[in-house]
Amino acid sequence: MSSPFMDAQFQPSTQLIAWALGLYALFLQGTVVRCVRANDRDAGLGWWLGGALCVGTGFWAQSLLNLVALQLPIRVGFVAQVVLAAWMPAVVISAAAIWMQTRLHFPVRLRVIGGVLIAFGFCLLTFIHASAIMFQPSVSWDVWRLMASALLTLGGCLLGSLALRQSLAAEPPLWVRSLKVLGISGLFNAGQVCMVWAMQVPAGAECLSVDHLSGDGLVLVLSGAVLMLLVMGHLSMRLDARAQRRQQVLVNSLKEAQAALEEAAQHDPLTGLLNRQGFERMLHQVFEDAGASPARRLCLMRLHVDGVRTLIETYGHAHGDQLMRHLALRLQVALREGDVLAHAEFDEFLVLAHGLVDEHDMAQLAQRFLTAVHEPCLVDGHELSVSASIGIARSPESFNARLLLTHASDAMLTARKAGGGVYCFHRSGEDQVGVDQVALQRDLRHAIARDELMLHFQPKLHAGSGALAGVEALLRWQHPVRGLVSPATFIPVAERFGLIGELGLWVLDAACRQVRLWHEAGVDVPVAVNLSAHQLRQPDLERRVREALVRHRVPPAMLILEITESVAMDDIEASLRVFDLLDDIGVQLSIDDFGTGYSSLSYLRRLPARQLKIDRSFIRDLDSSPDAQAIVEAVVHLAHALGLKVVAEGVETPEQAAILTRLQCDELQGYLYARPMPERDLLVWVLRQDMAVMGVVPEGPSRPAAEGKQAAKGTARPITAWSELDYAPLLRQVGR
């Protein structure tokens, strides 16, 4: 049975040319997308339009040549106007595809819709080309083949979009790209061939457009012209890509040069460290990174090298430069990991330290810097010695970068006014009291050498017997002009200017010396000495205590070291290590001001202490507050359960003494018995107490003696610590 439609065949050579043009156009489309993305807005617009023209023409020629490849028993021709009309939709479809593929973050839903529309456009392009052949009667279409054609074209669009998007995100190897392009182009070409195959020409039909575009030369002319256009477009884009690469190389070189210049502008050429500009930029960045959250613990030290200008005037600038390089290396060695050092001015350095817990840690780091700077430097055979003045500020007291720099500068100037060679902490309101503190600090630095410091002693008595249990040594300063300066005045100054460590060592040495003098006079009295938080953090504390005991030949048990509860609990692990080292020496350890901190019973049990001193705030209300009595009673029972003696300080009334005795407190200390007094007055006080017990009342009692009488009346039993002694050595000591 004969078919109602003409037999159709395809010319393989023409199909191959059509597929090759489509393959080239598809490959060129990816190049166009990259070119558009690589250029700015105006240039990208030009490449988008030009690329759409080239790629669209390639797809237009592929669709037409697939139709030309169709061989029918009759001669056919194409209406030129219809063929040319199909060119514009091809360009528009390509422009839409390129535009959508340049948007990496295009929504998936819109991307799918766009792919469907573009696939429909390619199918429409083939349909328009088929309409350029005028048959009488007209052709019919196979629905199933049309559907297959639409699916193949749609699959090619979706796979092409996905492959191009992946290649833009991460450039694949050339062979991978080539395989993808071959596969996608094959799908497109198969879709067009399938649509041409769906066109069914009735048997006996005539072609009315046979005199229009036709002949064997059509394939050669069309393919040659389109190929030339594609090659020209491709070469243009290759040249543009090369120019872009060269431009990018230049841009990268300029960026590297600019970065190098900025880096050089932020570093000091003499030392290689950050300069002031670079340091301030880094500091501002630190505060910006903190944002609205509280700033980290930051400590800024401004270090001024004293005496450099004088050395330059003497030896010249070359020696000064070498000296500053030496100091920069030393300071870098003294830095902790994570700290930042900068050379701000010729004779100034800046240090930003992170994570320092408190002023005692800052003081230790500042002291390391002072020691590093003070060590002599050998420069061209000359031994040069300088000192440093360090100003210290910290956050969050200085809550932004500007304030931190300003406060460190103010503190450094204060240290310089103090004579140099010291560090100084910034204090709020220092402008009002700075002048007086500087003068006081200057005098305090010379107080030891001028023998202006002294110890006052306050007796501690056994609660049950009233016998002398020991004394507490308290530092006093006899200023030649100011008179007796209160510790409440000069201790904060010592802490601020880094003198507290030196004062603490002096007190330790003086207390051991006094214990030895009393021993030679025939009296053994335990002496309690307060350890500051700074001393507790000193790594050589244990060695210093041993040296003082050995130097003065003092039994360790005669020395009591008192540490306040809040200081001991501030860093419990560090306190435990220090306590264990001191306990190995054999000295007695006492927890002072107990009740004002936040002690944990488990930590308290681990501390090798021998005493607890109840804070005077609990003793003050003892005779009027049942709560205070309950607290003291609980502390006494707790201490006795842990094997500790209990000392109550601040006892001022006989009622307080009676309650403490009833609560089984071990030792009492306070104004009820005696105020802190010099060693000479202490001996007189003891002698008069014992004389009063024996019924001998000396003429003209001094103030300590009068206080002793009052104390004797207020206690249940008389003080008889030294009653059995030979008074001759003591009297000789009183007469010193």
Side-chain angles (χ1 to χ4, degrees):
M1 182 177 178
S2 60
S3 173
F5 303 106
M6 291 184 183
D7 293 331
Q9 296 180 354
F10 289 93
Q11 187 177 9
S13 59
T14 305
Q15 280 188 312
L16 182 61
I17 294 174
W19 174 74
L21 288 177
L23 176 65
Y24 197 1
L26 185 63
F27 179 82
L28 194 60
Q29 179 176 326
T31 305
V32 172
V33 171
R34 292 182 178 85
C35 191
V36 172
R37 288 175 55 84
N39 283 273
D40 57 21
R41 181 177 179 180
D42 294 337
L45 178 62
W47 283 114
W48 173 56
L49 295 176
L53 177 66
C54 293
V55 173
T57 302
F59 288 136
W60 169 80
Q62 178 190 24
S63 175
L64 180 59
L65 288 175
N66 274 321
L67 196 60
V68 172
L70 182 67
Q71 299 292 313
L72 294 173
I74 62 174
R75 290 182 67 246
V76 297
F78 298 86
V79 178
Q81 292 84 351
V82 178
V83 171
L84 292 176
W87 175 80
M88 184 54 69
V91 173
V92 172
I93 293 170
S94 298
I98 293 172
W99 178 84
M100 186 173 66
Q101 288 167 347
T102 56
R103 269 62 180 171
L104 281 179
H105 303 291
F106 207 59
V108 176
R109 179 174 59 85
L110 296 180
R111 190 178 295 275
V112 171
I113 295 174
V116 172
L117 293 177
I118 291 172
F120 176 78
F122 279 119
C123 293
L124 180 63
L125 177 64
T126 305
F127 180 79
I128 295 174
H129 277 144
S131 301
I133 306 176
M134 302 178 63
F135 288 102
Q136 182 65 35
S138 61
V139 300
S140 61
W141 297 89
D142 187 298
V143 177
W144 295 106
R145 293 175 184 176
L146 285 177
M147 292 180 60
S149 172
L151 289 176
L152 288 172
T153 306
L154 179 61
C157 288
L158 295 178
L159 289 178
S161 177
L162 180 61
L164 184 58
R165 184 182 181 188
Q166 290 177 345
S167 66
L168 291 175
E171 187 72 19
L174 181 60
W175 65 272
V176 176
R177 288 174 54 194
S178 300
L179 287 178
K180 289 181 178 179
V181 171
L182 284 171
I184 296 166
S185 177
L187 285 175
F188 272 120
N189 198 64
Q192 291 182 2
V193 171
C194 190
M195 188 168 183
V196 173
W197 188 33
M199 186 175 68
Q200 297 176 328
V201 181
E206 295 182 3
C207 180
L208 303 180
S209 56
V210 67
D211 295 330
H212 292 260
L213 294 174
S214 63
D216 296 334
L218 179 61
V219 175
L220 182 61
V221 173
L222 181 62
S223 59
V226 173
L227 180 61
M228 186 178 297
L229 177 64
L230 293 176
V231 169
M232 291 178 60
H234 191 192
L235 288 177
S236 299
M237 282 180 277
R238 292 285 294 178
L239 291 175
D240 180 76
R242 180 180 297 178
Q244 286 289 331
R245 286 194 297 271
R246 290 179 178 176
Q247 183 180 1
Q248 189 61 43
V249 170
L250 291 176
V251 170
N252 292 338
S253 299
L254 288 175
K255 287 182 178 179
E256 291 176 0
Q258 184 178 3
L261 289 175
E262 290 181 357
E263 186 75 9
Q266 295 177 17
H267 283 75
D268 172 52
L270 179 64
T271 61
L273 300 172
L274 284 174
N275 58 18
R276 183 183 181 91
Q277 177 184 353
F279 185 86
E280 290 184 0
R281 181 176 179 180
M282 178 272 300
L283 185 61
H284 280 88
Q285 188 62 48
V286 169
F287 277 90
E288 287 177 7
D289 292 342
S293 60
R296 298 180 289 176
R297 286 179 173 174
L298 299 177
C299 171
L300 179 61
M301 299 185 184
R302 184 159 187 167
L303 187 151
H304 179 270
V305 183
D306 306 321
V308 173
R309 303 291 180 182
T310 303
L311 290 176
I312 291 177
E313 293 175 359
T314 305
Y315 297 102
H317 285 278
H319 284 69
D321 291 344
Q322 292 188 45
L323 174 63
M324 297 310 295
R325 280 194 288 265
H326 278 298
L327 295 181
L329 292 174
R330 288 184 185 176
L331 293 174
Q332 285 179 290
V333 172
L335 284 178
R336 305 171 310 137
E337 184 178 358
D339 294 345
V340 181
L341 176 67
H343 190 198
E345 307 291 345
F346 180 75
D347 54 357
E348 288 186 7
F349 293 91
L350 289 169
V351 180
L352 181 66
H354 300 264
L356 295 174
V357 177
D358 52 28
E359 286 189 355
H360 309 293
D361 291 337
M362 300 176 193
Q364 288 186 6
L365 183 59
Q367 189 60 51
R368 286 166 58 184
F369 293 148
L370 290 176
T371 303
V373 172
H374 188 64
E375 184 179 348
C377 294
L378 190 62
V379 177
D380 289 344
H382 299 283
E383 190 176 85
L384 306 181
S385 295
V386 291
S387 60
S389 301
I390 302 178
I392 306 174
R394 60 179 176 176
S395 64
E397 285 83 357
S398 304
F399 52 84
N400 59 41
R402 183 186 61 80
L403 281 179
L404 200 62
L405 287 164
T406 302
H407 291 166
S409 298
D410 293 342
M412 183 270 290
L413 292 175
T414 304
R416 291 185 64 187
K417 292 177 183 177
V422 296
Y423 58 82
C424 174
F425 287 96
H426 175 267
R427 293 283 188 267
S428 299
E430 68 176 358
D431 295 337
Q432 289 73 26
V433 298
V435 175
D436 185 64
Q437 285 199 353
V438 167
L440 198 64
Q441 178 274 154
R442 187 182 298 112
D443 293 341
L444 186 58
R445 293 178 65 185
H446 303 292
I448 297 177
R450 295 172 179 170
D451 198 23
E452 296 173 1
L453 299 180
M454 64 182 65
L455 290 182
H456 281 196
F457 303 92
Q458 186 174 29
K460 296 190 294 183
L461 311 177
H462 289 291
S465 63
L468 187 66
V471 294
E472 179 179 1
L474 301 169
L475 179 62
R476 296 293 185 267
W477 179 18
Q478 185 65 45
H479 193 278
V481 177
R482 300 171 185 261
L484 192 63
V485 182
S486 169
T489 301
F490 70 83
I491 291 297
V493 174
E495 290 178 342
R496 182 182 178 192
F497 288 92
L499 300 176
I500 191 65
E502 187 178 359
L503 292 183
L505 293 177
W506 184 91
V507 171
L508 179 64
D509 187 78
C512 291
R513 181 176 64 251
Q514 190 59 62
V515 171
R516 185 63 192 174
L517 290 174
W518 283 339
H519 176 75
E520 292 175 354
V523 180
D524 290 325
V525 182
V527 177
V529 174
N530 289 285
L531 286 183
S532 66
H534 179 80
Q535 287 177 280
L536 197 65
R537 301 285 178 84
Q538 287 180 320
D540 60 347
L541 175 62
E542 181 258 352
R543 178 177 63 83
R544 297 278 192 172
V545 173
R546 286 186 184 273
E547 290 176 352
L549 293 173
V550 171
R551 182 164 51 249
H552 298 290
R553 306 189 308 278
V554 173
M558 301 303 294
L559 180 64
I560 303 173
L561 299 179
E562 296 184 354
I563 299 98
T564 60
E565 180 191 18
S566 57
V567 171
M569 294 299 124
D570 184 46
D571 187 350
I572 186 62
E573 296 300 329
S575 298
L576 286 172
R577 290 193 296 270
V578 176
F579 272 54
D580 288 337
L581 291 173
L582 296 177
D583 185 63
D584 290 341
I585 298 175
V587 298
Q588 300 185 57
L589 300 175
S590 175
I591 305 297
D592 197 10
D593 296 339
F594 185 78
T596 59
Y598 302 94
S599 298
S600 167
L601 294 181
S602 61
Y603 289 139
L604 190 61
R605 178 178 57 84
R606 293 169 58 190
L607 292 174
R610 308 287 181 86
Q611 289 183 359
L612 283 184
K613 293 190 73 173
I614 303 176
D615 186 66
R616 63 181 69 247
S617 61
F618 297 106
I619 308 302
R620 186 183 306 113
D621 301 328
L622 197 61
D623 52 354
S624 60
S625 172
D627 293 339
Q629 293 187 25
I631 292 174
V632 171
E633 183 177 12
V635 171
V636 171
H637 288 167
L638 172 63
H640 288 168
L642 296 175
L644 306 177
K645 291 183 179 180
V646 180
V647 180
E649 58 180 343
V651 182
E652 297 182 355
T653 66
E655 290 77 15
Q656 294 172 351
I659 294 173
L660 290 168
T661 302
R662 176 173 56 82
L663 295 178
Q664 299 182 346
C665 187
D666 298 294
E667 298 177 9
L668 307 178
Q669 176 184 352
Y671 287 174
L672 174 63
Y673 306 106
R675 293 176 178 270
M677 62 189 79
E679 179 259 348
R680 174 189 176 92
D681 292 344
L682 175 67
L683 296 179
V684 173
W685 181 84
V686 173
L687 291 174
R688 291 186 180 278
Q689 290 300 110
D690 287 344
M691 290 179 184
V693 171
M694 294 183 292
V696 180
V697 180
E699 296 181 358
S702 62
R703 180 178 178 183
E707 291 175 350
K709 287 185 179 181
Q710 180 183 1
K713 293 179 183 179
T715 55
R717 300 185 59 181
I719 302 173
T720 56
W722 295 344
S723 300
E724 306 300 327
L725 295 176
D726 179 6
Y727 291 108
L730 290 176
L731 291 173
R732 284 197 298 273
Q733 219 173 304
V734 171
R736 283 189 294 117

